[in-house]
Amino acid sequence: MWYDQLFDGGAAVFGVPAVVGTAFFILRIFLSALGSVLQIGDGHDVDHSVGHDLSHGAHAGHGDTHASLSVHELFSLQSIGAFLAGFGWTGLIGLVTLHWVMVASAAMGLLGGIALSASVIAVYRGFRRLESAGTVSLSSAVGLEGDVYLTVPERGKGVGQIRVVLAGQLKVVDAISRDRAVPTGEKVLVVGTGEGNTVIVQAEVR
């Protein structure tokens, strides 16, 4: 069968990364789709990415301006998976289809891996730019009421998460407490913004 050629002799050098990289992409697509479905609850489209995208987008934006690659982008799971898939499949084309020698096939594989990895990074950058264009400044949350999504530890002992409506959308953002710990489900008032794209909250007195 055709797939036997993937692991036949020297072809395994390319067949293994080709299969691993391709399987990774299929898994990532499935998990992304599953995550999108699970984020929808209680009649709201809950966006969990506000705090992360604001911080990550700021760093990525600096890199975009200079058209350079950050270490995060270069060694992300997406770029590594893309490189493996590109290296494997293009290397196989050179070795099995074009009947090139191993060195020439490996060189072709490296070029294919780099090209596919660079394409994936470019696509993710484009997504981040679109997300950044639609993100809302956390300062607009000050004075709003929210509810605790993930227990907010007492001051100085960690970060939790709250749900708050920003620009008509229910967002999940990282939060730190002004004083005591606030358990899941309790109402809080956003009283400020903190470091690392967090909001400062206090439990509402009933």
Side-chain angles (χ1 to χ4, degrees):
M1 299 295 290
W2 67 267
Y3 49 77
D4 292 331
Q5 299 181 56
L6 295 178
F7 311 106
D8 183 20
V13 174
F14 305 112
V16 171
V19 172
V20 171
T22 303
F24 171 81
F25 271 115
I26 294 175
L27 179 62
R28 288 288 294 178
I29 292 172
F30 172 76
L31 291 178
S32 296
L34 181 62
S36 297
V37 172
L38 293 178
Q39 284 179 2
I40 301 175
D42 301 325
H44 295 283
D45 184 5
V46 183
D47 187 346
H48 291 69
S49 61
V50 177
H52 174 74
D53 281 347
L54 284 174
S55 60
H56 188 69
H59 288 78
H62 180 74
D64 288 343
T65 301
H66 296 83
S68 60
L69 292 177
S70 68
V71 174
H72 173 83
E73 289 176 321
L74 192 58
F75 293 101
S76 67
L77 292 177
Q78 291 89 346
S79 61
I80 292 174
F83 178 82
L84 290 175
F87 172 80
W89 291 117
T90 53
L92 281 172
I93 291 174
L95 186 68
V96 177
T97 304
L98 301 178
H99 304 292
W100 289 358
V101 296
M102 179 64 74
V103 174
S105 299
M108 181 176 178
L110 285 173
L111 291 175
I114 292 171
L116 185 57
S117 183
S119 298
V120 168
I121 290 174
V123 169
Y124 272 84
R125 280 186 172 186
F127 283 149
R128 284 201 301 270
R129 280 194 290 267
L130 289 175
E131 290 174 349
S132 296
T135 53
V136 180
S137 172
L138 290 182
S139 61
S140 64
V142 177
L144 298 180
E145 181 184 85
D147 61 273
V148 177
Y149 182 74
L150 181 64
T151 297
V152 181
E154 65 179 279
R155 182 177 180 179
K157 292 192 175 181
V159 178
Q161 291 183 324
I162 68 166
R163 294 189 297 185
V164 61
V165 177
L166 294 174
Q169 289 187 312
L170 185 63
K171 307 279 188 178
V172 174
V173 300
D174 293 336
I176 57 178
S177 176
R178 167 181 274 185
D179 38 50
R180 70 174 178 86
V182 191
T184 298
E186 189 165 329
K187 294 293 184 181
V188 293
L189 179 68
V190 180
V191 296
T193 58
E195 296 181 353
N197 294 303
T198 60
V199 294
I200 302 172
V201 300
Q202 70 176 25
E204 292 196 308
V205 179
R206 297 296 183 183

